[in-house]
Amino acid sequence: MTCRLDAAALPPQPPRAAAPLPAALDWIADDLAALRAEGLERPHRVRSGRQGREVDLDGQTLLNFGSNDYLGLAGDVRLTKAASRAACAEGFGAGASPLVSGHSQAHELLERALANLLAVDGALTFPSGFAANTATIAALAGPDDVIASDARNHASIIDGCRLSRARIGIYPHRDMAALDALLAQSGSVRRRLIVTDTVFSMDGTVAPLADLCELARKHRAILMVDEAHATGVFGVRGSGLVEETGCADGVHVRVGTLSKALAAAGGFVAGHADMIHWLRHKARAWIFSTAHPPAVAAAATLAIGLLAEGPHRRRELLERAAGFHERLSRSGLDVAGATTQIVPIIVGSAGGAVAVSTRLAEAGLFVPAIRPPSVPEGKSLVRVSLSWHHTADDVGRLVSTITSILSDRADS
Ligand SMILES: Cc1ncc(COP(=O)(O)O)c(C=O)c1O
């Protein structure tokens, strides 16, 4: 099946800054100029066609190291067909929030498939992983509570913590002694919540789950983990790092996304049936936001089914990642503790990261630059996401190109 959108049917792009900003918004021009001066202006690229091993961005075909399509399912026609069948059966729009009439049969099947995959009682789906995090954290914690959050957690966790109005303690990345001290000093509070990514999205590092479970038990804290980058990649069944590390009994709340390895869209929270039922009364992004389309839910359900069929994809991906780490370290490159399919190559300045990413694109490789606020000041990087599609030759080409670009920069 080959399909193309009709680009000629698009209305022409309006010229940038065709008219001056209205006076009430004129500060935006200064803000944009400051972003530009700091090397922080973001590109606005258009992708065309399906993505896979390669991606077409603004008309340039590049080897794709910039997508979270870890299992190579984003362009898979089986997902497209599942979505088409569901759209045919249930229509496209969900029409309302899940609480009202947006929760379709396709959503129910998805939630059951998720609960089954994670071997828990229940799951609840959200329009995005971002919404799952903000809604769940703000439901679990309030002004009388303390949240302990890893310094490298995703923005959706950070925003969820802020939204809860709880007292927030940030512990240095994966520093369990600091977390222990933070919880010990939390005093008498209603609830303590520890929240962490399992695979950190910009670092490719993993959370020390066994130690986190022990500290949660010691301090009678709730342990919530975000498996966004681990779902589909880790664990015998592919449910994530909780499964891989055998920590299911110590983790109370498991959040994840359907948008990365599962190649669909939406987020989920999973755990005890009573907690899931309680969240239906408390999670505002579930109550007050339209459910994602049933067709998307059906594609995600199919992708979950493929996890059971195809453990070879995650095994091959992780083997490729291990080979990549080894080749990088033999070339003397610092990957800052990354041990997963996400590999940051630290450049330093925001402008430097953009320059490296641009040179990689000139060599035919898409590796996006990641700059503040996604990473701390002075720690800008190019972020490599490996996918099942990549061959050993692709990875070899990436290592030699990056090594040569970085050594040119060191010499100049
Ligand atoms: C760790 C983490 N959690 C949550 C999200 C949000 O997921 P979604 O893209 O489905 O909104 C992301 C997305 O980048 C993420 O990296």
Side-chain angles (χ1 to χ4, degrees):
M1 179 165 66
T2 309
C3 312
R4 283 249 159 219
L5 287 184
D6 182 4
L10 286 175
Q13 172 91 358
R16 187 116 175 251
L21 281 158
L25 296 177
D26 60 3
W27 51 271
I28 287 180
D30 295 339
D31 233 43
L32 281 173
L35 287 170
R36 228 164 273 140
E38 291 166 42
L40 294 177
E41 191 180 24
R42 309 287 161 165
H44 178 70
R45 300 189 185 100
V46 179
R47 176 173 59 75
S48 34
R50 285 167 192 255
Q51 62 179 305
R53 178 172 161 265
E54 293 185 326
V55 64
D56 186 322
L57 288 176
D58 289 342
Q60 192 189 1
T61 302
L62 301 164
L63 197 50
N64 185 8
F65 290 103
S67 169
N68 300 315
D69 177 27
Y70 302 126
L71 296 181
L73 294 175
D76 194 304
V77 76
R78 290 170 293 182
L79 271 67
T80 321
K81 285 184 177 160
S84 306
R85 274 194 303 273
C88 194
E90 303 200 357
F92 197 76
S97 98
L99 183 69
V100 184
S101 58
H103 186 73
S104 67
Q105 249 179 11
H107 292 95
E108 183 62 23
L109 289 174
L110 171 59
E111 290 180 356
R112 291 186 195 178
L114 280 165
N116 189 41
L117 173 71
L118 274 75
V120 293
D121 294 344
L124 196 65
T125 50
F126 291 77
S128 71
F130 201 105
N133 268 331
T134 52
T136 304
I137 296 170
L140 289 170
D144 300 328
D145 305 323
V146 158
I147 304 179
S149 173
D150 188 289
R152 301 293 299 124
N153 275 342
H154 186 257
S156 53
I157 293 181
I158 296 171
D159 287 7
C161 293
R162 291 176 181 158
L163 203 56
S164 73
R165 292 178 293 138
R167 184 146 49 90
I168 303 163
I170 301 195
Y171 58 93
H173 186 41
R174 299 192 298 165
D175 184 337
M176 293 297 99
L179 172 61
D180 192 15
L182 194 161
L183 292 168
Q185 287 155 17
S186 58
S188 95
V189 288
R190 189 182 62 151
R191 293 178 204 144
R192 292 178 187 81
L193 170 66
I194 305 171
V195 58
T196 182
D197 287 7
T198 58
V199 171
F200 288 85
S201 57
M202 295 299 142
D203 305 78
T205 47
V206 298
L209 282 181
D211 296 342
L212 284 158
C213 291
E214 200 180 309
L215 287 180
R217 261 190 298 272
K218 175 175 169 189
H219 295 282
R220 297 176 56 84
I222 305 164
L223 179 56
M224 167 173 161
V225 304
D226 177 358
E227 295 261 53
H229 295 273
T231 306
V233 176
F234 288 96
V236 175
R237 293 189 310 277
S239 78
L241 206 73
V242 171
E243 182 199 348
E244 171 98 20
T245 54
C247 286
D249 287 347
V251 175
H252 307 105
V253 189
R254 285 153 82 177
V255 171
T257 174
L258 309 163
S259 63
K260 302 191 194 302
L262 296 178
F268 65 86
V269 57
H272 194 284
D274 287 349
M275 179 187 73
I276 296 302
H277 189 50
W278 172 82
L279 280 170
R280 290 193 188 104
H281 302 79
K282 301 288 175 184
R284 290 169 67 83
W286 189 84
I287 299 169
F288 294 109
S289 184
T290 301
H292 60 348
V296 173
T301 306
L302 188 98
I304 291 170
L306 294 178
L307 293 183
E309 247 176 47
H312 69 282
R313 287 206 184 203
R314 48 186 176 277
R315 198 183 52 240
E316 286 165 19
L317 169 70
L318 292 173
E319 281 167 10
R320 190 74 74 235
F324 184 49
H325 297 141
E326 195 188 309
R327 292 185 71 156
L328 286 173
S329 70
R330 265 195 273 128
S331 307
L333 287 181
D334 175 20
V335 297
T339 53
T340 65
Q341 77 283 10
I342 302 169
V343 187
I345 310 228
I346 313 284
V347 179
S349 71
V354 173
V356 172
S357 174
T358 305
R359 283 208 45 203
L360 283 161
E362 284 161 6
L365 307 170
F366 175 51
V367 190
I370 308 291
R371 296 163 278 166
S374 307
V375 290
E377 211 61 58
K379 298 265 186 215
S380 290
L381 51 94
V382 287
R383 175 183 183 267
V384 176
S385 304
L386 293 173
S387 154
W388 173 77
H389 281 301
H390 293 129
T391 64
D393 283 353
D394 295 338
V395 168
R397 184 173 152 204
L398 177 62
V399 174
S400 56
T401 315
I402 287 190
T403 315
S404 121
I405 292 172
L406 291 179
S407 84
D408 283 358
R409 284 176 59 80
D411 293 345
S412 61

